[in-house]
Amino acid sequence: RAFSAQAPASRIDASKIQIERTKNPKTKPPFDHTLPFGRVFTDHMLEIGWTRASGYGTPRIVPHHKLELDPAVPALHYGVQCFEGMKAYKDSSGGVRLFRPNLNMDRFDASCRRLALPPLDKEGMQRCIEALCRVEEGWVPDTEGCSLYLRPTCIGTTAFLGVSEPSEALIYVIACPVGPYFAN
């Protein structure tokens, strides 16, 4: 590992999630096999801040927006960032299902720990992603071979030019409806 200390454990309290719905919903594309990968984003995203002093903050589902970062964050200079890719599908009764989310959370947590980012509260994080899927249910394609791609990401956000363990981080999740990754 690059850093000697590990961030203290903290809980993500999904029961306190705050939801701010967009005032400007986007036009949804046709949910078919022409959907490009990673180009069309849903109306909302999930954000969870973290500090060494306070642990995880209140999870928030907010309108999709550009991130505002200090230009000195370690995510930009030292690559202190990681992501996981996961998918949500509609089942035969129209319900939204995540595909093996426990394995995604295990990998995401391992990546965070490897980079001395905060250890993940896997259960709390999964519940927050499920809440995002409920908000974005209309963006989950029901076409076979199509899905809602979810990209949980964690970045070190401490404003410091130097190699050290981040004392601040941001987890965010963006989503996009996708067709098959390979056209054929």
Side-chain angles (χ1 to χ4, degrees):
R1 278 194 12 199
F3 305 111
S4 60
Q6 181 66 54
S10 176
R11 202 170 149 260
I12 297 173
D13 191 348
S15 72
K16 294 187 176 173
I17 199 162
Q18 297 174 351
I19 300 173
E20 177 189 341
R21 296 203 179 257
T22 185
K23 292 176 177 57
N24 301 302
K26 300 173 186 173
T27 301
K28 295 179 180 77
F31 292 153
D32 59 24
H33 290 91
T34 64
L35 269 172
F37 184 86
R39 300 227 181 245
V40 178
F41 297 96
T42 64
D43 289 322
H44 300 90
M45 62 191 285
L46 170 67
E47 294 181 322
I48 309 168
W50 175 89
T51 67
R52 178 170 300 286
S54 303
Y56 284 108
T58 302
R60 300 177 333 118
I61 294 174
V62 296
H64 184 102
H65 64 91
K66 294 180 181 180
L67 297 179
E68 186 174 320
L69 299 171
D70 189 286
V73 300
L76 299 175
H77 293 274
Y78 304 105
V80 181
Q81 56 187 308
C82 61
F83 69 88
E84 180 62 28
M86 54 193 305
K87 291 185 175 184
Y89 300 89
K90 287 230 174 131
D91 63 22
S92 59
S93 61
V96 176
R97 305 264 181 193
L98 291 170
F99 181 70
R100 300 187 317 183
N102 57 320
L103 299 178
N104 294 106
M105 294 302 99
D106 288 345
R107 284 190 299 269
F108 194 38
D109 179 52
S111 296
C112 287
R113 289 174 186 271
R114 195 172 300 118
L115 292 167
L117 287 164
L120 190 64
D121 170 8
K122 295 182 276 188
E123 182 181 333
M125 185 69 201
Q126 183 176 328
R127 287 187 181 179
C128 288
I129 291 171
E130 289 167 354
L132 177 62
C133 287
R134 284 190 297 275
V135 168
E136 300 292 46
E137 185 174 1
W139 284 90
V140 182
D142 55 6
T143 306
E144 188 175 330
C146 297
S147 61
L148 183 68
Y149 180 77
L150 299 149
R151 175 62 68 95
T153 305
C154 186
I155 60 174
T157 58
T158 308
F160 174 67
L161 282 178
V163 178
S164 72
E165 187 175 313
S167 61
E168 298 176 8
L170 174 67
I171 291 179
Y172 64 92
V173 181
I174 55 177
C176 52
V178 297
Y181 193 78
F182 298 105
N184 55 5

